[in-house]
Amino acid sequence: MRISLKPLNEQVIVITGTSSGIGLATARLAVERGARVVLVARNEVALADIERDLNAGDRVLHVMADVGQREQLERVANETIAHFGGFDTWINNAGSSVWGRFDEVSDEDHYQVMQTNFWGTHYGSSIAVKHLRHKGGALINIGSVESANALPFHASYAASKHAVKAMTDVLRVELQKSGTPISVTLVRPSSTDTQFMDHSKNCLPSAPVFPPPVYAPEVVARAILHAAEHPQRDVYIGNAKLLSRLAQNAPRLADWINRTLVYDALQSGRPDRHPRGTLYASDVGSVDEGKASGDYPGRVLTRSLYTRATQHPIATTAAVAVGAAALVALLGRRGR
C-alpha cells in the first residue's frame, strides 16, 4: 500500500474545534499555506468572525456542529462535498474537559467529556474513512500526553485520550491490512497555551494551570500540517514522548511524580474566571473565543526541537553535521 498525500495548497482540510486554540492556529496556518479549509465548532458567531478575519474568500467555509452528534458531523461532510467537491484531510481536534477529583465530578460531566472527545473523534474518523477510502488522504486525530500519562483531577479527559489512542491504533492497522491508502496519525501535544482552561469546567477550589514546559499552539499546528502532507504514525510535541515513556516503563515513578509534584502544581491558587467553562452547549458563548493563544502566566515555548527532529530528520541531521563541523574547525584553529 502506497500512501500519497497532496501538498497543502492542493488540499481541502476539515478541522473540528476551530473557534480557538490549536484548531484555530491550524486553520490560520493552513489558509496561509494555500489550503481550502472547513471550520467546525459549536459557536457559529465565532466561526463567522474567524472566516471573515481569515479573508480567504471562497477558500474557507464554516459549518456549526457539535462533534458529539454524528448527524451533525455527517452534515459537515455533506456541506464540504457540496462546496468543495470533497476533502483530503480530516482533523479531529475538538475537545472538552472537566477538572476535579474523580469522586467530586458528576457522572453527567464525565459522560459529556467522553461524548465530545472520544465519540466525536470516533464519528469523525468513521465519516472521514468512508469518504477517503478510495481516493486516499489523511486522518489526523488529536490525542494528548495524557494518552499515556494521566494527570490528577483529569480522569475523564485522560480516559478519553487513552480511548482515542486505542481506537486510532486499531483503525490504522485495519486500514493497512486492507490496503486502504489513508494515512492515520495521532498527534500528542503536551501543555499548550490555549483557552483550554477557560473552556474547561472546573470543580477545584482554584483555577487549574498546566505544568511547564508550555508550548504555543502554533507549534502543534505546524506539526499537524506536516502530518497532512507526510504520513506519520505518531507525532509527539515537546516532552510528550518522554512523559509517555516514563508512564509506560516506570509507572510507579510516574505515579510518585504526579502525586508529589504535579498534584499541587495543577492548582494555581487563583480564582477561576469561568468555572462552568463551555462543557455543555448551553454555555457556548459565555467564554470569549477567536483566540489561538491563552493567558498562561509563564514562559511559552515557540519551538519543539524534538518534534522538528522527528518530522524533519534529514534537515536536522544536516544541521547537526554542519554544527559539528563548525565546532571541529573552531577547536582546530584554537589548537594552532
Side-chain angles (χ1 to χ4, degrees):
M1 175 189 67
R2 183 176 180 274
I3 297 174
S4 178
L5 303 179
K6 298 177 183 178
L8 286 180
N9 62 5
E10 297 178 12
Q11 287 201 34
V12 174
I13 303 176
V14 178
I15 311 172
T16 68
T18 46
S19 58
S20 65
I22 291 170
L24 177 54
T26 305
R28 285 173 174 166
L29 186 57
V31 170
E32 179 183 314
R33 294 185 179 178
R36 289 168 289 172
V37 176
V38 181
L39 312 170
V40 183
R42 295 178 299 172
N43 190 329
E44 171 115 43
V45 173
L47 288 180
D49 289 343
I50 291 165
E51 180 177 348
R52 185 191 64 247
D53 292 343
L54 287 172
N55 193 29
D58 196 46
R59 289 199 294 121
V60 176
L61 170 71
H62 79 267
V63 184
M64 183 186 72
D66 182 342
V67 300
Q69 306 299 317
R70 185 183 187 109
E71 64 276 10
Q72 295 191 31
L73 274 187
E74 293 277 9
R75 178 167 48 80
V76 170
N78 291 337
E79 292 193 25
T80 300
I81 293 168
H83 190 80
F84 290 123
F87 55 85
D88 305 286
T89 294
W90 184 291
I91 301 169
N92 287 308
N93 166 77
S96 63
S97 166
V98 59
W99 293 90
R101 282 178 55 101
F102 174 82
D103 55 352
E104 293 177 353
V105 173
S106 70
D107 288 348
E108 291 77 15
D109 288 350
H110 284 307
Y111 176 91
Q112 183 63 28
V113 171
M114 292 297 295
Q115 189 66 28
T116 298
N117 297 2
F118 173 71
W119 284 105
T121 302
H122 170 89
Y123 297 145
S125 298
S126 174
I127 292 165
V129 167
K130 181 180 178 181
H131 178 74
L132 298 173
R133 182 175 297 279
H134 299 295
K135 62 176 286 189
L139 170 65
I140 301 174
N141 291 337
I142 308 305
S144 167
V145 62
E146 293 191 68
S147 293
N149 193 334
L151 290 177
F153 311 121
H154 229 192
S156 50
Y157 182 86
S160 72
K161 294 302 184 177
H162 272 67
V164 165
K165 175 193 178 300
M167 184 204 71
T168 303
D169 288 347
V170 169
L171 176 59
R172 182 188 302 109
V173 169
E174 291 176 350
L175 292 176
Q176 290 172 343
K177 183 66 175 177
S178 63
T180 305
I182 300 175
S183 170
V184 179
T185 300
L186 182 68
V187 177
R188 306 197 205 187
S190 50
S191 300
T192 308
D193 178 36
T194 67
Q195 293 179 284
F196 181 86
M197 294 303 188
D198 285 340
H199 288 287
S200 299
K201 184 173 181 178
N202 181 29
C203 301
L204 297 172
S206 66
V209 61
F210 275 130
V214 174
Y215 294 85
E218 290 77 15
V219 176
V220 188
R222 289 193 295 269
I224 290 171
L225 293 181
H226 185 272
E229 291 184 294
H230 308 280
Q232 191 170 359
R233 185 185 192 278
D234 291 283
V235 178
Y236 294 89
I237 309 299
N239 63 347
K241 187 164 188 177
L242 173 64
L243 295 175
S244 298
R245 292 293 178 262
L246 179 67
Q248 292 164 346
N249 299 318
R252 290 183 182 275
L253 176 59
D255 286 350
W256 181 87
I257 292 172
N258 279 333
R259 182 174 66 248
T260 307
L261 303 175
V262 177
Y263 191 97
D264 292 327
L266 286 170
Q267 303 175 77
S268 68
R270 300 188 303 272
D272 194 330
R273 299 174 300 176
H274 305 287
R276 286 188 58 84
T278 58
L279 181 61
Y280 295 97
S282 58
D283 294 311
V284 170
S286 64
V287 177
D288 289 338
E289 300 196 73
K291 296 193 303 180
S293 297
D295 300 309
Y296 181 70
R299 182 187 179 196
V300 176
L301 302 178
T302 58
R303 293 286 185 274
S304 167
L305 295 179
Y306 176 82
T307 305
R308 178 168 178 79
T310 57
Q311 292 195 310
H312 304 274
I314 296 176
T316 301
T317 301
V320 171
V322 170
L327 179 60
V328 169
L330 177 62
L331 293 175
R333 285 197 299 271
R334 287 183 176 181
R336 292 174 184 172

